[in-house]
Amino acid sequence: PDQPPPGSAQTLPGGRRRSPNDLARLVEAVVAALGNNGSGPARAALEQILAGKFKTEDDRVAVDAALRALAAHPGAENDALLIRAITAAEDLRPADRQGLWPTSTLRVMALELVKPAASCEFRRKLAEALANRLFKLDPRDPVREFLIAPDPVNCGAQVVLYENANTPKENRNRLE
């Protein structure tokens, strides 16, 4: 049978209409439940959503909800996935699966969600991942700016960046 396009209103049994907002709220609720679950299969589903492998009625809402669920439940596995989203978004969500979420948007959204509550350990691991991934840190990179900001919570991350041979001299001077 013909199906209405994703995001359009649908008629439910009894003649009631389901709006796109209903679908978005449903996607948000299911993804939030996966984040609350915390199990390996739930985390794998969140990773598939971020990777564009898990199809939903609204990919944009699903990715946003997955990032929020991961950020709301800090822990080694969730933090590692968020760090991948920030430092290796193009590997996590290759060009053929980007859709409405280009890697630059995924990266910035993940960073903005973790900024307020990122621990010293998270920031240090983020700096390590960034230093291991990039040959040279771009002076305009928002992740670099976040990590070199004068904040005591950034000390471990700044040591990692300072010790990295690829850190530009201007960044080293700023860190000193």
Side-chain angles (χ1 to χ4, degrees), residues 3 91 98:
Q3 293 289 331
D91 293 339
Q98 286 181 12

Side-chain angles (χ1 to χ4, degrees), residues 74-111:
E77 295 90 356
N78 287 359
D79 290 355
L81 189 50
L82 284 168
I83 288 170
R84 279 182 57 209
I86 295 169
T87 62
E90 62 283 348
D91 293 339
L92 180 61
R93 194 173 179 101
D96 63 326
R97 292 192 308 261
Q98 286 181 12
L100 299 173
W101 279 96
T103 55
S104 59
T105 303
L106 181 64
R107 185 172 193 250
V108 169
M109 179 71 173
L111 178 63

Side-chain angles (χ1 to χ4, degrees), residues 158-175:
Q158 291 173 355
V159 168
V160 169
L161 294 175
Y162 187 81
E163 290 176 343
N164 183 333
N166 295 324
T167 299
K169 185 175 179 162
E170 70 182 64
N171 290 349
R172 287 180 196 279
N173 291 340
R174 188 168 166 191
L175 290 170

Side-chain angles (χ1 to χ4, degrees), residues 9-52:
Q10 297 178 1
T11 303
L12 300 172
R16 192 174 78 90
R17 307 241 335 137
R18 178 173 34 195
S19 75
N21 289 338
D22 292 339
L23 292 172
R25 285 193 298 273
L26 178 61
V27 169
E28 286 175 339
V30 169
V31 175
L34 290 169
N36 289 334
N37 181 290
S39 68
R43 195 171 307 99
L46 292 173
E47 183 174 358
Q48 288 178 346
I49 290 168
L50 293 180

Side-chain angles (χ1 to χ4, degrees), residues 125-139:
K125 287 180 180 179
L126 179 59
E128 287 172 352
L130 189 65
N132 290 334
R133 180 126 180 104
L134 302 175
F135 178 69
K136 187 173 182 178
L137 297 174
D138 182 351

Side-chain angles (χ1 to χ4, degrees), residues 39-72:
S39 68
R43 195 171 307 99
L46 292 173
E47 183 174 358
Q48 288 178 346
I49 290 168
L50 293 180
K53 294 179 182 177
F54 191 97
K55 300 298 177 195
T56 68
E57 291 290 328
D58 193 331
D59 187 54
R60 183 175 291 276
V61 169
V63 171
D64 180 64
L67 289 171
R68 289 180 188 286
L70 291 166

